[in-house]
Amino acid sequence: QKDDSQRLLESFNSDEKEHTLTKSKAEPYTSKEEIVLEESESPLNSNVTAFALKAKVIYPINQKFRPLADGSSNPSLHENPKQAVLPNQVMETSTSGSLGSLSQGDKEDCSSSTTIHSTTSDDRFQARAFLKVTGFPEVLTCESFDVKLCLCSLILKDLMLLDTELRKEKHVMFMQVLKVYLTDFYQKKKITDDLFKKVLLVQENDFEELQKQLDSRLQNTEMSGAHNSEYQTLEDLERKEREYSEHVIDNMEAFWKQTDKAQQAFLDQSKCSSTKATKIMMDLTKKMIAVESLLSESQDLQAMDIQERLFNWELMVKMIDSLKSYIPEECKCRLNIVSNILDHLTVKNNLSVRQKEELLTDLHKAFWEQLAHFSDECIQQSKDLILKRLECRAKKREEFKHRQKAEQGSLLSKTFHIEDVHDFLKAYHELLEKHRQAQWELEEEDDCESTEAVADLYKELYSKASHALTELVTKLFVRTLPVVTGLSVRECELLKEEWQENLVPQLEKWETPRQRRWKLFQEQLLQEKKLWMKEYALSAVMQKHLSEKQEKIIQGVISRLGCLSDESVNYILEKHQLLLCSVLTRLTLRRVGMAALARMRMSRKKSLLQELREQHTLQKGSSPCQDEDQWQLQKAVESHILEEEEKLEEETQQTHLEFHQQLVTEIQEALQFLQQHMEQVIGQTLLQHARREAAKKSSDDGQDFKERLVEAAVESVYGTSNNINRLVQNYYQQIGKITEGYEGKKLQQLKSLQAERGERNRLRKKQENELALKEKQTKGLLNISSTVHQRMVLQQKKVLAQFELQQQIRLESLKQKLLGLHHLETELENQLKEAEQDFVSELAALARVPMAVKKQPSKRSKPAAEQTNSKRKSFQSPESEDKDNSHENIQEPPGLTSGLCR
């Protein structure tokens, strides 16, 4: 009789799944076959579970062959037809009293080991559709399976919104800074009013076009793969995040190209000097570095706030879930007490077993039907309430935006001078931070109010359920039992009072596991926070490493150039710092998003493992070990949990590694953009440097004097053809001797450098051999004390150190070679200038052409022919030629002599 009543209670408990408080009639991916199959399995599973609980034995729910009471096994006990799975659906197992029930149901291999890991289920999980929510209140009505996915998707949405706001803020700040400099030029009459308006209009249109292109790409990304606008899959979400990151990096590249184009167009049209242009570009770069610093700091702080918001959301959702589960659990507790009282009457023969079962059946059916009705009403009221609150939130957000836009416009309309730019940037950023904080507080307040409102609805549901159950129990004891049992009304009322008295201690006893479960949840949340803090620390390390590595690279490039002025070098370094800061800011936010995606991917397995821990902890606390078998069983369960934790940790690391590799790929693409952009910046700087040097040389060029000398010598009656030819031949002979001497010295120097390099290589190889010998001596100790990974890292560091050393030696050799050749070319240039000056002086003396000569920077003595004519000021002599144009210097005098010969 007792077993029959227990079976009946278990059957009713399984029927409760049909009336669960969290069911959603709008779920589009639940098949009718699956529901029928679950209903047909529930009595069987409940029998197995009841037997396992009473026997204190744990059987995996997916075990094909289950031992029976006599020790035999029934092969057909758990053979069920395969369940049809829809494309966007994952088979979920219901939790029961068995700890093994947390494992995945009905694997294809029908494995008898309890496990929560499966590659097939991972693929199904990523393809499972969950609700696409726009705000936290909607999550309060989601299926419990989808809650973590929905919350993390909201985090990704907040991160994307933050990125959009900061990007727009950066665009506005640049335009305002450019406008300040344009206004300064306009007030100083360096540009016209039309040019001022034209430059501003062109830049505003270009930036608007960039934003339109980005919006169009993001819209295409959002629409692709969206078969159902109300639902989304984790796979789609990962793809959208990846494509969003690509589009944003492309937009960032286009933005910085546009800023460079805007600066260059402004400086070209203002027709300012090269020095002034460089100074303005450096000032603009410094201002934008300040902007990037403000935005990066703001992004880091708000990303941490967004993460903290996630934990607050989980607490509020857990509170609602606790209220949802509180109602049926307490009602089951009340019904169990009624069942015990009826069992006692059955033992006294006041009730037959059949009568007891009929009474329990009628009571359960009436109560669960009323509870299902109340639950449906509560769910609908919750949805209506949340819909109204979301509409109200949207209206408040629009009002906020309108006021904020007016405040921003008021600040942007003010006129600022160049010296006030930093104050403007700070004021504008603080204003936007204030607006974001106000919006944030509004949403948090609304989230709390929505949670409280939904909680009030479930409290009202609890009150209705308790009242309905009390009425049904009162009717059973006062009206039905006197008729069925023949007991007096007073005796039945005493039974009711007994039910109420037994209720208090039972509820207190039932409250203890609830408190433990809540404490375990808080501990899990604390662990999640620690993991996120670790993720932020790793992100900071990555950012520092990339920054140091890129700074080392740009310093190496600049040191190899060696010909730029300090001003140009500072401009290149600041430009590089600006672009690097922009890239790292974007990649840091991308890493936070990847951490959220990794958490979503592992959420299902973490939830199953957490339920396994909870059930084991609660069972351990409720029934302490009293014999050896229970102790062995408990040890086995703990060992199984540890095994599952190790597997979960391994899969978590593998997931993080997969996302890390994806992040490394995106980092390489972003740094490729940085490299290309810096190549253009360095190229333009070198071009400007070359133009400045050429302008200096051309200012001292004596080309006009040479042309006048040719004309005067041709018209002179003193210069004959033989005399001029003799001068030309002597000049050619002198040039030949100079070039021969230069080639000989050059060859000798190259041989000397090669010998020195060979000697250095010999010494280096000797040192390497000595180090290799030392390593062989300590190799045995290293193999014993080090792991394979440590030895690989040491070998990698050794190879990289050798490569850097060889590269440094090669660069030093090239520098010495460059310095030596530069010295020889300077000597050659001076000798060619002396020969040319001698030729010009002799020609002027032969043709009786007066000339005046300036003192040469090479400190050579003036020729005698030049000294005789130094007092005449009719013509100006050439001073110097371009240092990097020695071949042109050799060819110029023959041009002069060819004119004379004509």
Side-chain angles (χ1 to χ4, degrees):
Q1 290 175 351
K2 198 167 187 179
D3 289 345
D4 291 339
S5 62
Q6 182 68 24
R7 179 188 59 78
L8 186 62
L9 279 174
E10 292 291 340
S11 177
F12 281 128
N13 291 341
S14 64
D15 290 341
E16 180 196 343
K17 288 187 286 187
E18 299 178 17
H19 308 293
T20 178
L21 296 177
T22 58
K23 71 176 183 177
S24 173
K25 294 182 179 180
E27 174 63 53
Y29 297 112
T30 303
S31 61
K32 294 181 179 179
E33 293 83 355
E34 188 177 5
I35 296 174
V36 172
L37 186 58
E38 287 182 358
E39 289 177 353
S40 64
E41 284 182 349
S42 56
L44 177 63
N45 289 341
S46 64
N47 285 336
V48 174
T49 303
F51 170 75
L53 287 174
K54 286 196 289 184
K56 302 291 185 184
V57 177
I58 298 174
Y59 294 118
I61 202 68
N62 60 341
Q63 185 171 330
K64 189 172 182 179
F65 302 102
R66 288 222 178 93
L68 298 180
D70 58 356
S72 63
S73 62
N74 183 2
S76 62
L77 183 64
H78 200 62
E79 289 182 356
N80 297 319
K82 291 290 182 180
Q83 208 166 331
V85 181
L86 295 176
N88 289 331
Q89 185 179 8
V90 171
M91 291 189 296
E92 301 180 37
T93 57
S94 60
T95 57
S96 65
S98 171
L99 294 179
S101 65
L102 292 171
S103 61
Q104 297 167 10
D106 198 15
K107 290 185 180 179
E108 294 184 6
D109 59 355
C110 296
S111 172
S112 62
S113 62
T114 307
T115 178
I116 60 175
H117 304 275
S118 170
T119 306
T120 306
S121 62
D122 288 348
D123 296 337
R124 290 175 186 168
F125 177 71
Q126 283 190 270
R128 185 191 189 281
F130 59 93
L131 190 64
K132 187 185 295 184
V133 292
T134 59
F136 168 72
E138 294 180 63
V139 182
L140 298 174
T141 59
C142 287
E143 294 287 339
S144 59
F145 182 85
D146 296 337
V147 165
K148 282 188 179 294
L149 298 179
C150 292
L151 291 179
C152 286
S153 69
L154 286 178
I155 289 299
L156 293 173
K157 184 180 177 183
D158 286 345
L159 291 174
M160 192 180 297
L161 180 62
L162 173 63
D163 182 54
T164 302
E165 291 178 351
L166 295 179
R167 184 170 58 253
K168 290 181 178 179
E169 181 178 347
K170 178 168 64 176
H171 292 188
V172 172
M173 284 182 169
F174 174 78
M175 283 301 302
Q176 290 301 311
V177 171
L178 184 64
K179 184 178 179 181
V180 168
Y181 279 89
L182 281 172
T183 305
D184 182 67
F185 268 64
Y186 172 68
Q187 291 175 350
K188 293 179 179 179
K189 307 295 183 182
K190 292 184 178 180
I191 58 174
T192 62
D193 181 60
D194 293 338
L195 181 59
F196 172 76
K197 294 178 180 179
K198 179 183 176 183
V199 172
L200 276 181
L201 182 62
V202 168
Q203 299 314 317
E204 288 175 357
N205 291 338
D206 289 342
F207 285 130
E208 285 180 5
E209 184 63 27
L210 278 180
Q211 188 60 39
K212 286 180 181 178
Q213 291 176 4
L214 178 62
D215 292 340
S216 175
R217 290 181 179 181
L218 296 181
Q219 183 67 23
N220 293 335
T221 298
E222 184 67 26
M223 295 303 295
S224 60
H227 304 296
N228 191 326
S229 60
E230 295 182 2
Y231 292 85
Q232 59 185 345
T233 64
L234 182 55
E235 187 178 6
D236 281 342
L237 200 57
E238 290 181 5
R239 176 189 57 79
K240 289 176 182 178
E241 285 291 314
R242 185 171 59 251
E243 292 180 4
Y244 173 81
S245 179
E246 293 173 359
H247 295 328
V248 168
I249 289 178
D250 291 342
N251 178 265
M252 179 179 65
E253 179 180 356
F255 169 75
W256 288 119
K257 287 182 178 179
Q258 184 59 38
T259 57
D260 288 349
K261 181 182 175 182
Q263 295 176 35
Q264 199 59 47
F266 157 57
L267 295 173
D268 289 344
Q269 295 181 14
S270 62
K271 297 179 181 179
C272 59
S273 63
S274 176
T275 306
K276 180 69 174 175
T278 303
K279 184 177 181 303
I280 292 175
M281 292 177 71
M282 285 186 65
D283 289 343
L284 284 170
T285 304
K286 288 180 180 178
K287 298 298 185 298
M288 292 310 296
I289 288 175
V291 170
E292 284 291 345
S293 178
L294 286 172
L295 298 183
S296 177
E297 182 180 355
S298 175
Q299 175 184 284
D300 292 342
L301 293 175
Q302 292 190 57
M304 295 185 73
D305 288 342
I306 289 173
Q307 185 54 45
E308 190 64 30
R309 171 187 272 188
L310 174 62
F311 297 130
N312 294 335
W313 282 346
E314 289 196 11
L315 279 171
M316 289 188 281
V317 169
K318 186 67 175 178
M319 184 186 72
I320 298 298
D321 285 343
S322 180
L323 283 174
K324 290 179 181 178
S325 62
Y326 183 85
I327 299 171
E329 287 177 2
E330 182 177 327
C331 292
K332 282 192 292 182
C333 182
R334 293 169 183 259
L335 291 172
N336 283 335
I337 298 174
V338 174
S339 176
N340 292 334
I341 293 175
L342 294 182
D343 286 340
H344 185 65
L345 293 176
T346 305
V347 171
K348 289 183 176 181
N349 294 324
N350 292 328
L351 272 178
S352 66
V353 174
R354 183 179 182 83
Q355 288 175 329
K356 182 195 70 173
E357 289 185 356
E358 288 178 354
L359 291 175
L360 284 177
T361 301
D362 294 339
L363 177 63
H364 276 263
K365 183 178 180 182
F367 171 71
W368 291 118
E369 284 180 355
Q370 287 192 35
L371 182 60
H373 175 68
F374 293 150
S375 299
D376 290 340
E377 286 184 353
C378 181
I379 291 173
Q380 190 59 45
Q381 289 175 359
S382 300
K383 290 182 177 180
D384 295 340
L385 172 68
I386 287 170
L387 186 61
K388 290 179 181 179
R389 296 200 68 88
L390 289 176
E391 290 176 356
C392 182
R393 177 187 287 193
K395 291 180 181 178
K396 288 182 179 179
R397 186 184 293 118
E398 287 300 321
E399 294 175 358
F400 258 70
K401 283 185 178 180
H402 185 70
R403 290 200 303 268
Q404 291 169 1
K405 192 173 181 180
E407 292 180 11
Q408 293 173 23
S410 175
L411 180 60
L412 294 176
S413 63
K414 295 180 180 179
T415 303
F416 293 91
H417 301 289
I418 293 179
E419 56 271 14
D420 301 329
V421 169
H422 184 73
D423 294 334
F424 159 74
L425 295 177
K426 187 177 180 181
Y428 185 71
H429 179 69
E430 288 178 352
L431 177 64
L432 293 187
E433 285 288 290
K434 176 185 172 184
H435 291 167
R436 276 191 285 267
Q437 184 65 28
Q439 184 70 33
W440 184 274
E441 292 174 356
L442 172 68
E443 292 178 358
E444 281 195 333
E445 182 181 357
D446 187 70
D447 291 341
C448 292
E449 291 178 355
S450 298
T451 305
E452 291 175 358
V454 173
D456 290 340
L457 289 176
Y458 278 99
K459 288 176 183 177
E460 183 181 349
L461 172 64
Y462 168 75
S463 177
K464 289 181 179 179
S466 299
H467 182 68
L469 182 57
T470 302
E471 286 185 349
L472 290 173
V473 171
T474 301
K475 180 180 177 182
L476 172 68
F477 283 112
V478 176
R479 296 181 184 178
T480 308
L481 281 182
V483 176
V484 176
T485 61
L487 296 173
S488 65
V489 176
R490 179 58 186 165
E491 291 176 327
C492 291
E493 288 179 351
L494 291 174
L495 290 175
K496 180 190 171 185
E497 292 177 2
E498 179 185 353
W499 172 71
Q500 292 175 339
E501 291 174 358
N502 293 337
L503 192 60
V504 176
Q506 287 295 327
L507 290 179
E508 290 178 354
K509 183 180 178 182
W510 170 74
E511 184 68 21
T512 303
R514 287 187 71 250
Q515 296 296 333
R516 288 180 183 172
R517 195 175 291 117
W518 181 259
K519 185 177 180 181
L520 289 173
F521 169 74
Q522 289 178 323
E523 291 176 357
Q524 180 197 7
L525 212 57
L526 187 61
Q527 286 295 116
E528 290 285 344
K529 287 185 179 181
K530 290 180 180 179
L531 289 176
W532 274 98
M533 294 307 296
K534 181 180 178 182
E535 187 66 31
Y536 280 117
L538 290 174
S539 179
V541 171
M542 178 204 74
Q543 191 170 351
K544 183 180 179 181
H545 170 72
L546 286 176
S547 180
E548 291 177 351
K549 186 176 180 181
Q550 289 300 312
E551 287 175 2
K552 184 178 179 182
I553 290 173
I554 195 66
Q555 289 285 359
V557 171
I558 291 176
S559 65
R560 294 181 198 181
L561 294 176
C563 62
L564 297 175
S565 63
D566 292 342
E567 190 177 25
S568 298
V569 169
N570 290 334
Y571 172 69
I572 292 175
L573 291 176
E574 288 179 354
K575 192 72 175 179
H576 180 265
Q577 181 185 354
L578 172 62
L579 297 178
L580 181 62
C581 183
S582 180
V583 168
L584 291 179
T585 301
R586 172 59 213 156
L587 293 175
T588 301
L589 197 65
R590 172 64 171 146
R591 187 183 178 96
V592 176
M594 283 184 170
L597 289 172
R599 185 178 184 183
M600 293 177 74
R601 193 182 286 188
M602 301 305 298
S603 64
R604 169 179 153 274
K605 293 180 178 179
K606 283 187 176 181
S607 297
L608 293 175
L609 183 60
Q610 182 64 19
E611 290 180 12
L612 188 62
R613 285 199 202 100
E614 284 183 5
Q615 290 198 8
H616 172 63
T617 303
L618 295 176
Q619 191 174 22
K620 184 178 178 181
S622 59
S623 56
C625 295
Q626 297 179 354
D627 54 25
E628 183 68 20
D629 293 338
Q630 290 187 11
W631 185 81
Q632 291 290 344
L633 176 64
Q634 200 172 94
K635 285 293 182 184
V637 173
E638 290 174 357
S639 175
H640 171 68
I641 291 176
L642 289 176
E643 180 184 351
E644 293 296 336
E645 286 177 348
E646 291 175 359
K647 289 181 181 179
L648 181 63
E649 180 65 23
E650 183 179 349
E651 291 186 22
T652 302
Q653 291 181 359
Q654 188 65 30
T655 302
H656 281 290
L657 178 61
E658 180 182 339
F659 280 111
H660 178 71
Q661 291 172 345
Q662 184 178 334
L663 181 64
V664 168
T665 303
E666 295 183 13
I667 288 174
Q668 291 174 346
E669 294 175 356
L671 294 181
Q672 183 70 21
F673 142 69
L674 176 63
Q675 178 183 340
Q676 293 174 355
H677 199 92
M678 287 310 301
E679 286 174 358
Q680 295 177 0
V681 171
I682 293 174
Q684 291 173 357
T685 306
L686 289 172
L687 182 60
Q688 292 174 1
H689 173 76
R691 285 174 178 172
R692 284 196 296 269
E693 291 296 321
K696 291 179 181 178
K697 300 298 180 185
S698 62
S699 62
D700 296 329
D701 194 2
Q703 188 65 31
D704 293 341
F705 170 75
K706 293 177 184 178
E707 292 176 356
R708 291 197 293 271
L709 179 59
V710 170
E711 294 176 359
V714 170
E715 296 175 358
S716 175
V717 296
Y718 301 103
T720 63
S721 176
N722 292 332
N723 293 336
I724 292 177
N725 285 334
R726 188 179 69 254
L727 286 176
V728 172
Q729 289 174 3
N730 292 337
Y731 178 60
Y732 279 157
Q733 289 176 2
Q734 192 174 0
I735 288 178
K737 290 178 182 179
I738 292 172
T739 53
E740 286 178 7
Y742 167 74
E743 293 295 336
K745 290 179 181 179
K746 179 180 177 181
L747 182 60
Q748 183 180 0
Q749 187 169 17
L750 290 176
K751 288 181 179 179
S752 175
L753 289 172
Q754 188 173 5
E756 291 179 5
R757 184 178 180 184
E759 180 65 20
R760 282 196 300 269
N761 287 335
R762 188 184 66 80
L763 293 174
R764 180 175 56 82
K765 287 182 179 178
K766 184 179 179 181
Q767 292 176 355
E768 288 179 356
N769 292 334
E770 292 176 356
L771 289 173
L773 185 61
K774 290 181 180 179
E775 288 179 359
K776 285 182 180 179
Q777 294 174 354
T778 58
K779 186 175 181 180
L781 180 62
L782 184 66
N783 289 338
I784 294 173
S785 61
S786 303
T787 62
V788 176
H789 176 71
Q790 288 174 335
R791 294 199 298 272
M792 289 177 63
V793 171
L794 289 174
Q795 184 66 19
Q796 183 184 23
K797 289 181 178 179
K798 177 184 173 184
V799 173
L800 289 175
Q802 289 178 352
F803 172 75
E804 290 181 358
L805 179 62
Q806 292 174 2
Q807 188 181 34
Q808 191 65 29
I809 292 174
R810 187 167 62 252
L811 288 176
E812 289 295 331
S813 177
L814 289 174
K815 283 183 179 180
Q816 290 184 1
K817 179 180 177 181
L818 181 63
L819 289 174
L821 292 177
H822 182 68
H823 176 71
L824 289 177
E825 287 175 359
T826 303
E827 185 179 346
L828 173 66
E829 182 184 0
N830 291 334
Q831 291 176 352
L832 290 174
K833 286 181 180 179
E834 290 178 5
E836 179 187 346
Q837 189 62 40
D838 292 342
F839 172 73
V840 171
S841 300
E842 291 176 6
L843 179 60
L846 179 64
R848 306 292 195 276
V849 175
M851 61 178 293
V853 182
K854 293 181 180 178
K855 189 176 181 179
Q856 295 298 320
S858 60
K859 296 184 180 179
R860 63 182 179 87
S861 60
K862 297 181 183 179
E866 182 181 337
Q867 290 176 4
T868 58
N869 299 293
S870 61
K871 294 182 179 179
R872 301 184 183 183
K873 309 291 184 181
S874 302
F875 296 97
Q876 299 293 327
S877 67
E879 276 201 327
S880 62
E881 300 297 321
D882 194 347
K883 290 183 181 179
D884 299 325
N885 244 342
S886 60
H887 295 287
E888 293 181 8
N889 291 335
I890 295 175
Q891 296 298 327
E892 269 187 330
L896 176 65
T897 55
S898 63
L900 291 173
C901 292
R902 286 196 303 273

